[in-house]
């Protein structure tokens, strides 16, 4: 039998407050991510009334709202949902980079789990694949990551 102590979050959560920040840009993809996250949280035992959903225009705006929600001290964990799709726009790189950097900063500054489910893809097909078709639903995965991380952080 192992002697070491194991810290590991389980996948059941009934008493946490969770915030989900959702970008409207590429909404046909991002709404499927939101459905996935809500479904995963519900099936982990979290009442829907414990979840707050905030909407922002695009992925670039996600970090500010995540930061304000984290600073409020009201949330045990946050999820960021968006889709940055390269397509024809050169704006892609800076939106994707700033968004990812900002999300990581919020998590470390406020010391709560902030799950990054902002898709960054080359084209729309890849984004659709990750939003509930061939490659699963990254929003649902984010819900489970949130549950595990909230439970783990409670043990630290
Ligand atoms: N926002 C996205 O969420 N996804 C994108 O693919 C995207 N592209 O490609 O431009 C995008 N741009 C908008 C950006 O997030 C801001 O809303 C905008 O720059 C205003 O600050």
């Amino acid at each position: 039998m192992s002697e070491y102590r194991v810290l590991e979050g389980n996948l059941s959560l009934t008493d946490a407050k969770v915030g989900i920040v959702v970008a409207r840009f590429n909404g046909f993809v991002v709404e499927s991510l939101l459905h996935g996250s809500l479904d995963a949280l519900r099936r982990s035992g979290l009442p829907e009334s414990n979840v707050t959903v905030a909407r922002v225009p695009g992925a670039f705006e996600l970090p500010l709202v995540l930061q304000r929600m984290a600073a409020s001290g009201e949330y045990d964990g946050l999820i960021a949902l968006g889709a940055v799709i390269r397509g024809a726009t050169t704006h892609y790189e800076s939106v994707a980079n700033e968004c990812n950097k900002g999300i990581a900063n919020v998590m470390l500054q406020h010391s709560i789990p902030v799950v990054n489910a902002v898709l960054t893809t080359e084209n729309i097909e890849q984004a659709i694949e990750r939003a509930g078709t061939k490659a699963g639903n990254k929003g649902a995965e984010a819900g489970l990551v949130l549950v595990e991380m909230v439970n783990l952080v409670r043990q630290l």
Side-chain angles (χ1 to χ4, degrees):
M1 210 175 71
S2 314
E3 297 276 319
Y4 53 79
R5 179 173 168 234
V6 177
L7 296 174
E8 193 172 50
N10 66 33
L11 294 179
S12 162
L13 189 66
T14 56
D15 60 347
K17 290 276 173 18
V18 172
I20 306 180
V21 189
V22 184
R24 281 203 196 84
F25 207 101
N26 294 321
F28 63 99
V29 170
V30 183
E31 286 304 309
S32 296
L33 298 177
L34 176 60
H35 275 122
S37 290
L38 290 171
D39 187 54
L41 292 172
R42 182 184 57 77
R43 287 189 290 119
S44 302
L46 195 71
E48 204 160 81
S49 54
N50 285 31
V51 180
T52 300
V53 175
R55 293 184 186 276
V56 297
F60 189 75
E61 283 73 36
L62 289 168
L64 172 64
V65 175
L66 291 165
Q67 186 170 43
R68 295 292 285 256
M69 290 174 96
S72 75
E74 274 182 44
Y75 299 94
D76 297 286
L78 300 169
I79 298 174
L81 301 178
V84 188
I85 301 174
R86 188 186 294 274
T89 160
T90 53
H91 203 36
Y92 165 95
E93 299 283 353
S94 67
V95 171
N97 289 339
E98 293 309 314
C99 172
N100 285 328
K101 227 184 330 168
I103 291 171
N105 283 343
V106 173
M107 174 154 71
L108 296 179
Q109 250 177 37
H110 295 278
S111 207
I112 61 168
V114 182
V115 184
N116 182 349
V118 179
L119 305 178
T120 50
T121 66
E122 291 299 311
N123 52 52
I124 288 170
E125 191 185 29
Q126 286 177 354
I128 291 170
E129 280 176 11
R130 292 161 174 71
T133 58
K134 282 198 284 192
N137 185 319
K138 298 299 169 196
E141 286 176 26
L144 294 180
V145 171
L146 185 286
V147 169
E148 177 175 346
M149 286 301 295
V150 167
N151 283 322
L152 173 59
V153 163
R154 284 178 171 177
Q155 298 169 47
L156 299 175

